[in-house]
Amino acid sequence: MSTLIVRTRRSFATHWYAWAMVLPVVVVLAVLVGYPLGRGVYLSFTDANEANLGRTIGDFEVPSTYTFVGLDNYWHILSGQEGSFYPRLMWTVVWTASCVFLHYTIGLGLALLLNRRIRGRSLYRVLLILPWAVPAFVAAFAWKLMYNTDNGVFNLLLSKIGLGPVDWLGDPFVQKLSVIAVNTWLGVPFMMVAILGGLQSIPRELHEAAEMDGASPWQRFWNVTMPGLRPVSSTIVLLGTIWTFNMFPIIFLVIGQAGGTESEILVTYAYRLAFQGVRDYAGSASYGIVILSLLLVFSVFYRGMLKRQEEAK
């Protein structure tokens, strides 16, 4: 312990300017991330809700009456007593896997096209990045209007070719396809830009050498391009998984209350617990910690798997 203190003091004395630059960021993260996270962990071990949390009304202060319940909230969720955790978890996993797969494959295809020398390449890049520049809530409302059963552009196009209107946001299965389409539209530009940067970092000499050795285009893609993209791909797939798993605005804003609970992912259900109905703050906090734990386990497993693959080579 004394050695750690001595090293810390020596670091402060030697690199005081760097510590001074980092300190504001550390303070902001502690306030905006650390305190809410700690408060959420604490509430997850209680039975806190709107009725017993306590509040101040004018000059009168209502004391908190919630109690410590230990792991009861987690047992209630993970044991299946609630009856909705595992179905929502399954849909959340399907939602995340589908979106990330489409993000990566479409982004890879577009990046390969834009990496070629074609006329108007800069214009195409700007146009394809536009969905990423649009705020998520604006895109959600725009797509919701297009999905409108009576006046939406999709049903108008279907009526032109003699097909009946589709209840895009009413039928549970179609709802899920609809929100996957919206999130794919939003997420592809990020993948495209990241992969395009990775493609441009692969030495051209490798492709030329493979071509001279008689490798077909598919062989060059699979044995030169994909290995060269592995560092970029591993990072963006991990980031995409975390972002999509917690993609609150698309599910909440596009579907809203029209879909009941069948199309909810874990994070939207946690929000509903906290801010609708009885306002079960403890249950919502428990859901949040479970979501965080799932993502941490996935991240550790994913990084470990990639490390083992690298060591095997």
Side-chain angles (χ1 to χ4, degrees):
M1 186 66 180
S2 59
T3 304
L4 179 61
I5 295 176
V6 171
R7 289 182 178 179
T8 303
R9 288 179 177 175
R10 187 179 301 169
S11 177
F12 273 115
T14 307
H15 307 291
W16 65 269
Y17 184 78
W19 283 104
M21 294 294 100
V22 170
L23 183 60
V25 178
V26 173
V27 172
V28 171
L29 288 177
V31 173
L32 298 182
V33 178
Y35 174 75
L37 178 60
R39 179 68 171 170
V41 172
Y42 170 71
L43 288 177
S44 69
F45 294 108
T46 69
D47 61 352
N49 55 45
E50 186 179 22
N52 60 24
L53 190 61
R55 63 184 61 82
T56 300
I57 304 175
D59 297 331
F60 183 72
E61 184 174 349
V62 179
S64 300
T65 58
Y66 60 85
T67 58
F68 184 81
V69 297
L71 298 174
D72 285 357
N73 290 322
Y74 295 103
W75 175 252
H76 182 68
I77 293 172
L78 299 177
S79 66
Q81 294 179 16
E82 185 187 34
S84 59
F85 172 72
Y86 290 103
R88 287 193 180 90
L89 175 61
M90 183 61 65
W91 158 231
T92 304
V93 171
V94 172
W95 149 264
T96 303
S98 301
C99 289
V100 174
F101 174 77
L102 291 172
H103 289 166
Y104 186 83
T105 53
I106 298 175
L108 175 62
L110 293 174
L112 289 171
L113 290 175
L114 293 178
N115 197 43
R116 298 173 176 270
R117 293 184 178 180
I118 57 176
R119 182 177 298 178
R121 182 171 59 177
S122 299
L123 177 61
Y124 295 147
R125 288 180 180 179
V126 172
L127 293 177
L128 290 171
I129 290 174
L130 281 179
W132 193 23
V134 176
F137 74 94
V138 175
F141 284 124
W143 278 85
K144 190 171 185 177
L145 289 174
M146 291 191 291
Y147 282 140
N148 184 273
T149 304
D150 298 323
N151 302 309
V153 63
F154 293 128
N155 280 340
L156 290 177
L157 291 175
L158 290 176
S159 66
K160 296 292 184 181
I161 58 177
L163 298 178
V166 176
D167 190 5
W168 299 100
L169 301 179
D171 181 77
F173 179 73
V174 180
Q175 278 178 2
K176 295 176 180 180
L177 295 180
S178 300
V179 291
I180 288 174
V182 177
N183 196 54
T184 300
W185 182 81
L186 283 173
V188 163
F190 167 75
M191 292 286 186
M192 180 193 70
V193 171
I195 295 172
L196 183 59
L199 287 173
Q200 294 178 347
S201 68
I202 300 174
R204 188 175 296 275
E205 292 79 7
L206 295 177
H207 288 280
E208 294 175 351
E211 187 175 3
M212 291 180 64
D213 288 340
S216 65
W218 171 253
Q219 290 174 326
R220 294 198 300 272
F221 169 77
W222 191 251
N223 296 299
V224 178
T225 302
M226 292 306 294
L229 289 176
R230 186 173 290 114
V232 173
S233 299
S234 61
T235 302
I236 60 177
V237 167
L238 179 59
L239 290 175
T241 300
I242 295 173
W243 291 340
T244 306
F245 201 89
N246 287 322
M247 183 56 72
F248 173 83
I250 301 304
I251 300 290
F252 185 78
L253 296 178
V254 174
I255 297 179
Q257 301 302 313
T261 60
E262 291 187 20
S263 301
E264 283 186 323
I265 57 176
L266 293 178
V267 68
T268 57
Y269 181 69
Y271 171 86
R272 189 159 66 87
L273 281 177
F275 297 104
Q276 296 178 9
V278 296
R279 299 198 174 189
D280 182 7
Y281 299 128
S284 178
S286 301
Y287 257 89
I289 301 304
V290 169
I291 293 170
L292 175 62
S293 301
L294 290 172
L295 290 175
L296 285 176
V297 169
F298 169 78
S299 300
V300 172
F301 174 79
Y302 179 75
R303 299 301 296 181
M305 181 183 65
L306 293 177
K307 185 177 180 180
R308 288 192 297 270
Q309 289 179 352
E310 291 295 331
E311 292 174 351
K313 296 181 179 181

